Amino acid sequence: SKQNKVSCKPAVPVIAGVSSGNIKWEDFKSNTIFVDNDYEIKQFSIQYTSKSGDRTIVVKGNTISPEIIKELEQVGMNQTIFISNIISASHSNDLKHLLSMELNILFK
C-alpha cells in the first residue's frame, strides 16, 4: 500500500532504526544510513574522535567506512558522533538535505 507522504516533513535518517541518542556499537558498525525507500543517501559528513584527535570526514555513499569503524574501535570508548550534511537522492535524482544525526555510541 502506498503511504501518503507529507513533503514539508523533514526526512529523518536512521542507522539501525536510531536517528539520535544512544546506539549500540554492534548496531552502529554493521548498518548503513537509511532514510526511506524513495531516497538513497549519497554523501554525508561524520565527526568523531580518533586516537589522533577530532576528525571530520566526508563520506560518499550510505555506509560508514571500515577505516572509520577501525578508528572508533581503537578509541574503544563511548563517544558522541555527529553525522551532518546528509545528502540523499531520489530515483529521479531529486536531491534532498536531511536532518543531522547525533549518536552516542555505547561500546558496553
Side-chain angles (χ1 to χ4, degrees), residues 33-92:
I33 302 175
F34 177 77
V35 60
D36 62 33
N37 291 324
D38 298 327
Y39 280 82
E40 185 184 351
I41 307 296
K42 293 293 182 192
Q43 180 178 315
F44 61 92
S45 295
I46 182 167
Q47 190 179 346
Y48 62 96
T49 302
S50 72
K51 278 203 183 299
S52 54
D54 289 346
R55 310 225 20 205
T56 301
I57 295 176
V58 175
V59 179
K60 300 270 185 236
N62 64 353
T63 306
I64 292 154
S65 72
E67 294 80 26
I68 294 172
I69 296 296
K70 195 170 146 197
E71 284 193 324
L72 286 166
E73 222 157 21
Q74 285 170 347
V75 173
M77 52 187 240
N78 298 355
Q79 68 166 290
T80 301
I81 63 154
F82 300 95
I83 298 176
S84 59
N85 300 320
I86 306 169
I87 299 170
S88 63
S90 69
H91 306 300
S92 58

